[in-house]
Amino acid sequence: MECHRISKDGAIMKFFKFGLGALLIIIGVFVVFWVFVVDRLIENVIEEKGTEMVGALVEVEHADLTLFPSGLTLARLQVTNPENPMSNALDVSRIAMTMDILPLLWRQVIVEEMSVEGVRFGTERQHSGAVPGLKPSKDSSQQSLMTLPAFDVPDIQQILEHENLETVKLIDALKVDVAREREQWNERLKELPGKAQFKEYKQRVKQLKKEAKGGIDGLLGGVEDIQALKKDIERDITEVKEAQRELKETIASLKSRFEQIKTAPQRDVQRLKEKYHLSPQGLSNLSQALFGETFGSWVRQGAAWYERFIPYLEQGDSKAVEESSSGEEDVDFLIRVAKVSAMIEAGEFSGSVHNITPNQAVFGQPLTFTFQGEALKGIESLRLDGRLDHRQPNQSSDQFEFQTKGFKLHNMALSEHDSWPVSLVSGMADVNVNVQLQGHALTAKGSGNLSQLDFSAGSQGDSNPLTTSMSQAVSAITHLKMNAEVTGTVDDYDIELHSDVDGILRDAAGKMINNVTREFSQKLQSAITEQTAKPIENLKKTLGGFGEIGGELTDRLAQNDALLKDLLSQGVGKKILPKKLLPDGLNLPF
């Protein structure tokens, strides 16, 4: 009996030792997996997903997952700036979080609190963070704003060498038409009754006079000849008069075109003034030109990061669709609060982010954040608030508010235009910005009060009166009010900027521009007049040649009239048909 008990106890001891050994092995494997695999697995997931999100390399120096207490710590998280792979857009020293164990039973990872420490921006990288074949989700270099207007006074001789003047075109066209009309009229003069015809008519009159001396037989025989001669002369008179009328119409048409040519130089001057933009209207919105590129770069960068981040707020909705079709369930994830401490050039900038999750519809809370900094170096105060509500992705509503007071401005290049460089040496700014996004519709409004301004404008030795006067006006500005508005969508937006600069420069430089414009117009007028005066004078002389044709027609008409009068009134008619020889009741047939 005792031996049996000893045997039984030995078996129990063997089983216990075997079970304990197996348990230790399992625990050992788990520990090895936890120590050497889990942390690296988390690092890989963060780096892979982060790189995919940003479009450039995301690196984690070390990840540490703990069970008691349950939590995760990340050391040195670097997020490469996709636009500059040799710098980090974000560099975080440490991220630590604690998690609830119980929600894991419902496939939920809930982080009660996360601490983000030592956040820095724009730090240098030791190696490039560019990923071959991977491009940023948005090219923030697009949508360049307007540039400064051209302020150079155009060279008039170069203009005239390259421009086809309307005046010259009209002169050349009229010269061709005048030459053609003169040729046609010279040909027509040959066809109209002329000296040869008059000579024939005089011969016929002479013959009639001779026949009239033959008595009554000659008298009666000459009546028919007189009638024929009269009709011939009258036909010629009608033909010449018709030609004279047509010539007057031709001359009137040519003179009308000539009058248009006389006013064409003024039209050329106006057209060239408009083409070369020498007008005060070129200063209508210099705020857009001076501040637009800087402001536009901020908008582009903000839009690019917004588009990279927003899809991850709506992943829960897309995953729900995939899970319902695949029958699988994914884990819901929520960070209730993240406390962030960031270091910027001016000092520490801290705040908190609430309800970070790609499953807003599940947890029923929008993401909100608040950041602020007080008594920073060069900034009196700084505050950023936001709310991202994507509980219903098709009706998303996002809002951002930014306020800063006493922000010191220094060494801002506003214009690198060769003809007119402008920079803001120093100044102070109070800025308020409000951004609203309803679905895809974007509306952003901003206002700023700038004071204690010190501008540097223009370049040494500038001889251009336009830019010189504008440089003087800008250098005298010490205070500005500015308003900005962005409308459209994140992908396609318009930026409008307005400030006191517009009125200041328009008033200061407007008079100078008007004077330069007037001088330019006068020189252009003189140059065009000089170029066209001789052709116009030659054309006028050519038109005068029609006077000779008109005089010729007048002479021919006068000769015909005189010949007819001589035939009927003073000459042959009376001699051939004296009234005293006519029988009673017989009248002349003309």
Side-chain angles (χ1 to χ4, degrees), residues 176-192 243 246-247 250 254 546 549 553:
V176 172
D177 291 344
V178 167
R180 185 181 64 252
E181 290 289 346
R182 286 197 62 177
E183 183 178 354
Q184 291 177 354
W185 276 103
N186 286 329
E187 290 298 320
R188 190 166 179 184
L189 282 177
K190 296 177 182 179
E191 299 172 357
L192 291 172
E246 292 178 8
L247 178 63
T250 299
L254 296 176
F546 283 92
I549 298 174
L553 291 176

Side-chain angles (χ1 to χ4, degrees), residues 44-78:
N44 291 339
V45 170
I46 293 174
E47 290 178 344
E48 179 182 346
K49 294 297 182 181
T51 299
E52 179 184 337
M53 174 182 175
V54 175
L57 193 62
V58 172
E59 296 174 300
V60 177
E61 187 174 290
H62 178 67
D64 184 15
L65 181 65
T66 60
L67 286 178
F68 305 103
S70 58
L72 175 65
T73 301
L74 302 178
R76 188 71 191 280
L77 171 67
Q78 297 182 75

Side-chain angles (χ1 to χ4, degrees), residues 44 52 93 108 199 304 318 380 387 427 436 458 482 501 576:
N44 291 339
E52 179 184 337
S93 297
Q108 290 184 340
K199 185 176 181 180
S318 61
E380 183 180 327
R387 175 187 173 92
Q436 301 278 348
M482 181 173 294
V501 168
I576 294 178

Side-chain angles (χ1 to χ4, degrees), residues 529-544:
T529 300
E530 182 180 353
Q531 183 172 330
T532 60
K534 189 172 182 179
I536 290 177
E537 184 63 28
N538 292 337
L539 185 59
K540 183 178 181 180
K541 291 179 181 179
T542 304
L543 283 171

Side-chain angles (χ1 to χ4, degrees), residues 325-342:
S325 61
S326 64
E328 298 179 0
E329 293 185 3
D330 203 351
V331 177
D332 295 325
F333 178 80
L334 171 67
I335 300 176
R336 293 194 187 279
V337 59
K339 295 181 178 180
V340 182
S341 175

Side-chain angles (χ1 to χ4, degrees), residues 290-557:
L290 287 176
F291 301 100
E293 195 57 40
T294 300
F295 185 79
S297 67
W298 297 340
V299 174
R300 290 193 294 271
Q301 291 176 26
W305 283 105
Y306 178 84
E307 284 201 319
R308 293 186 184 108
F309 178 73
I310 287 303
Y312 294 89
L313 286 182
E314 302 176 352
Q315 274 195 334
D317 186 68
S318 61
K319 284 183 178 181
V321 175
E322 296 174 1
E323 292 162 9
S324 63
S325 61
S326 64
E328 298 179 0
E329 293 185 3
D330 203 351
V331 177
D332 295 325
F333 178 80
L334 171 67
I335 300 176
R336 293 194 187 279
V337 59
K339 295 181 178 180
V340 182
S341 175
M343 293 300 297
I344 58 178
E345 186 178 351
E348 185 175 0
F349 183 62
S350 60
S352 60
V353 185
H354 294 262
N355 303 315
I356 303 173
T357 177
N359 313 86
Q360 288 191 7
V362 173
F363 293 100
Q365 294 293 330
L367 183 150
T368 60
F369 59 84
T370 298
F371 289 90
Q372 61 183 359
E374 300 288 341
L376 301 173
K377 181 181 178 181
I379 306 175
E380 183 180 327
S381 66
L382 188 67
R383 185 179 179 88
L384 175 64
D385 298 281
R387 175 187 173 92
L388 304 176
D389 189 347
H390 289 251
R391 288 173 289 180
Q392 297 180 5
N394 58 340
Q395 297 180 11
S396 61
S397 177
D398 299 337
Q399 180 176 343
F400 305 88
E401 292 184 6
F402 174 77
Q403 295 179 339
T404 182
K405 292 183 178 180
F407 184 85
K408 287 188 178 181
L409 307 171
H410 61 278
N411 297 329
M412 294 178 61
L414 302 179
S415 165
E416 297 180 354
H417 199 280
D418 292 338
S419 62
W420 195 48
V422 180
S423 62
L424 178 59
V425 179
S426 61
M428 299 282 288
D430 295 339
V431 179
N432 291 279
V433 178
N434 183 281
V435 180
Q436 301 278 348
L437 289 115
Q438 299 294 329
H440 295 288
L442 166 65
T443 302
K445 294 183 178 181
S447 61
N449 290 320
L450 282 64
S451 60
Q452 303 178 33
L453 299 176
D454 179 15
F455 284 99
S456 173
S459 55
Q460 291 185 348
D462 185 6
S463 59
N464 189 323
L466 297 176
T467 51
T468 300
S469 62
M470 291 175 60
S471 297
Q472 294 172 352
V474 168
S475 299
I477 296 174
T478 58
H479 293 76
L480 277 180
K481 288 185 178 181
M482 181 173 294
N483 293 289
E485 184 172 4
V486 182
T487 56
T489 65
V490 177
D491 290 319
D492 184 13
Y493 52 82
D494 294 317
I495 298 176
E496 285 290 335
L497 284 172
H498 298 282
S499 74
D500 299 339
V501 168
D502 302 325
I504 292 172
L505 291 183
R506 193 163 49 244
D507 294 341
K511 183 176 180 181
M512 177 63 69
I513 290 176
N514 286 331
N515 291 337
V516 173
T517 301
R518 189 180 303 110
E519 182 179 355
F520 172 77
S521 300
Q522 291 172 351
K523 290 182 178 179
L524 188 60
Q525 176 78 56
S526 299
I528 292 177
T529 300
E530 182 180 353
Q531 183 172 330
T532 60
K534 189 172 182 179
I536 290 177
E537 184 63 28
N538 292 337
L539 185 59
K540 183 178 181 180
K541 291 179 181 179
T542 304
L543 283 171
F546 283 92
E548 299 176 1
I549 298 174
E552 178 66 20
L553 291 176
T554 301
D555 289 344
R556 294 187 186 188
L557 185 62

